[in-house]
Amino acid sequence: MDEKGYEVREIDSHKGKGLFATKGFEPGDVIFEEVPLVCCQYAWNKDYGYSACDHCMRPLESVEENVRRLTSRHIGLPHPECDPTDKSRHVSCPSCGVKYCSNSCQNLASQQYHRVLCYGPDHPINSLIDTWKSMHYPPETATIMLIARIFAVVEQAQDKDEVVSNFMKFCHRSVNEEDEIAHKLLGSEFNHQREVLRQQMASLFPSEYVRHWLTPDGFRSLLALIGTNGQGVGTSVFSAWQKQVLQLTLPPEETSTFNSLIDKIYDEMDEVVGTFLNCEGSALYSLQRLANHSCQPNATVTFPHNDYTLSLRAERTIQPNEEICISYLDECLLSHSRHTRHKVLRDHYLFVCSCDRCQEQADDPDETSEEEEDEEEVSM
């Protein structure tokens, strides 16, 4: 009897591999859940006070602290018993002060990478982060510290060759020569910063096991790896608290009052921080990387546990032997024109989409509206 409900199959030389259903799934069904090989919070997100566990991205603020920061004022919230943040479990690294949501996360971080990346405010790695921030402003889609964690995982691994091999399974081409596409992170306007980043990385990580990534071509491919495969991770204590309150059995009047309060808070957040509501970062997932893109996806990525645990859920009915596809674009971009969708997919993912929706719209004009130009930011 099939336990997983999916399998990896070769498709063709252009698309490579893909995920295929081996049984039927209905909307909302969980296809699989997984934790990442490596995960890291975005640099600007962290600097702006979005406090998250350094390992799993679980928010560290209480819900009232979170609302106060995002609205710039104190708002009394009902049902404090539904606040998912348990500060009694929080711990910090005694050497560098990095914070974790639990001893479990601290131990996992120490076992996997933190012994290499335990550093203070005067450590040279902070210059690396500053260089990255000078070329990558919010809204963020990648972080150089994801590469640093990859290197640290390799350094601490007992079987370094196996770990390097696992990371090399991710797509790491920096160009698509067939379609003459180069990754957006590798544009000529970033030549100087990219070389500075490479040299800084080389001085920080001299191990022979990562040397192949620190040549000019190797570093380009590594930047393409995180840019192409990095799955955005977003967590929110406010959102988690809302869900827990709405699971309570409340009188209709209280439910209505609560919903009105939520709407008001979101309006005030929008005035202060706009769309930047969550703790945000990027992660590499072994299974999720195998799901190909479609502009009419039949599955969607969610983070139901308010940490880095990824859940792939069916968006609509999926038949046995049907390919399981997700969207590499956020919901807003999916509503845009074929021309805009193709531009973002070319810049960030190095391919021209030929899904059923794109083929149906093949005769649409290759034009981008002013509204779409203002919103052309990808969120994988």
Side-chain angles (χ1 to χ4, degrees):
M1 182 178 179
D2 176 38
E3 295 182 357
K4 295 189 298 184
Y6 61 88
E7 66 181 12
V8 180
R9 297 179 190 171
E10 293 284 346
I11 300 177
D12 54 43
S13 59
H14 182 68
K15 291 184 73 173
K17 298 178 180 179
L19 284 178
F20 286 79
T22 57
K23 69 176 185 180
F25 292 98
E26 294 302 319
D29 286 352
V30 175
I31 301 169
F32 64 74
E33 288 192 342
E34 66 173 325
V35 298
L37 293 177
V38 64
C39 177
C40 192
Q41 188 176 2
Y42 291 142
W44 286 106
N45 188 263
K46 186 175 184 178
D47 281 359
Y48 283 138
Y50 291 75
S51 181
C53 174
D54 198 60
H55 182 70
C56 78
M57 291 283 297
R58 185 180 298 279
L60 298 178
E61 295 175 303
S62 70
V63 65
E64 287 209 347
E65 289 172 335
N66 182 251
V67 169
R68 188 181 309 126
R69 179 172 58 81
L70 297 179
T71 63
S72 294
R73 72 185 190 90
H74 176 76
I75 299 175
L77 302 176
H79 300 288
E81 73 279 6
C82 292
D83 187 339
T85 301
D86 183 358
K87 293 198 172 189
S88 68
R89 301 182 67 218
H90 294 179
V91 293
S92 301
C93 172
S95 298
C96 68
V98 162
K99 297 179 180 179
Y100 300 97
C101 67
S102 65
N103 280 316
S104 176
C105 275
Q106 183 179 26
N107 291 336
L108 286 170
S110 179
Q111 293 165 15
Q112 295 174 14
Y113 56 83
H114 188 67
R115 293 199 301 273
V116 171
L117 292 178
C118 185
Y119 58 88
D122 298 325
H123 194 278
I125 203 167
N126 292 297
S127 296
L128 177 80
I129 297 170
D130 288 340
T131 302
W132 174 261
K133 288 164 62 181
S134 72
M135 62 184 284
H136 200 69
Y137 292 91
E140 299 168 273
T141 58
T143 171
I144 194 66
M145 287 305 293
L146 198 62
I147 293 180
R149 289 206 173 167
I150 291 173
F151 285 4
V153 167
V154 173
E155 291 270 8
Q156 290 193 202
Q158 291 188 340
D159 190 339
K160 293 178 171 52
D161 289 330
E162 180 183 4
V163 172
V164 170
S165 175
N166 286 338
F167 283 118
M168 291 302 289
K169 292 175 183 176
F170 287 82
C171 174
H172 55 277
R173 61 179 179 171
S174 55
V175 296
N176 180 338
E177 295 177 354
E178 180 180 344
D179 294 310
E180 299 182 348
I181 306 172
H183 196 278
K184 188 172 184 178
L185 287 176
L186 304 177
S188 58
E189 69 271 27
F190 299 131
N191 282 346
H192 174 69
Q193 293 102 317
R194 194 164 54 243
E195 179 59 19
V196 172
L197 285 172
R198 187 184 70 82
Q199 293 178 7
Q200 290 174 325
M201 275 288 190
S203 66
L204 289 167
F205 299 95
S207 169
E208 62 178 291
Y209 288 95
V210 299
R211 191 177 301 162
H212 65 286
W213 277 320
L214 290 169
T215 64
D217 286 343
F219 195 62
R220 286 171 62 88
S221 73
L222 196 55
L223 285 172
L225 186 156
I226 66 167
T228 303
N229 299 276
Q231 166 67 54
V233 179
T235 61
S236 166
V237 65
F238 182 60
S239 177
W241 167 77
Q242 286 179 66
K243 290 177 182 176
Q244 292 201 31
V245 172
L246 291 173
Q247 288 175 358
L248 301 175
T249 304
L250 301 176
E253 280 190 14
E254 187 175 349
T255 299
S256 176
T257 300
F258 178 78
N259 288 332
S260 296
L261 173 65
I262 297 303
D263 290 342
K264 178 182 177 183
I265 290 173
Y266 273 125
D267 287 342
E268 297 198 17
M269 287 179 175
D270 185 60
E271 292 182 5
V272 176
V273 296
T275 60
F276 298 98
L277 302 180
N278 301 335
C279 297
E280 296 181 351
S282 184
L284 300 178
Y285 294 88
S286 295
L287 278 175
Q288 176 271 346
R289 73 178 178 88
L290 295 167
N292 288 312
H293 166 82
S294 171
C295 295
Q296 284 182 316
N298 57 15
T300 187
V301 166
T302 63
F303 296 91
H305 306 294
N306 207 30
D307 61 8
Y308 63 15
T309 305
L310 179 150
S311 179
L312 187 67
R313 295 175 181 264
E315 185 82 356
R316 57 177 172 78
T317 299
I318 301 174
Q319 302 292 343
N321 293 315
E322 184 178 352
E323 185 178 4
I324 299 169
C325 293
I326 61 175
S327 172
Y328 295 174
L329 307 175
D330 64 24
E331 204 169 305
C332 180
L333 276 171
L334 272 183
S335 68
H336 284 177
S337 67
R338 176 179 181 269
H339 176 71
T340 296
R341 299 196 310 271
H342 277 208
K343 181 179 185 303
V344 177
L345 290 169
R346 285 169 60 92
D347 286 349
H348 291 268
Y349 302 106
L350 305 180
F351 72 92
V352 177
C353 185
S354 59
C355 71
D356 290 345
R357 182 183 176 199
C358 286
Q359 292 186 50
E360 291 170 1
Q361 298 174 341
D363 294 330
D364 289 0
D366 287 340
E367 296 177 355
T368 302
S369 70
E370 291 183 7
E371 291 82 3
E372 289 182 345
E373 288 177 352
D374 291 339
E375 297 172 356
E376 276 184 17
E377 291 296 339
V378 72
S379 177
M380 182 178 169

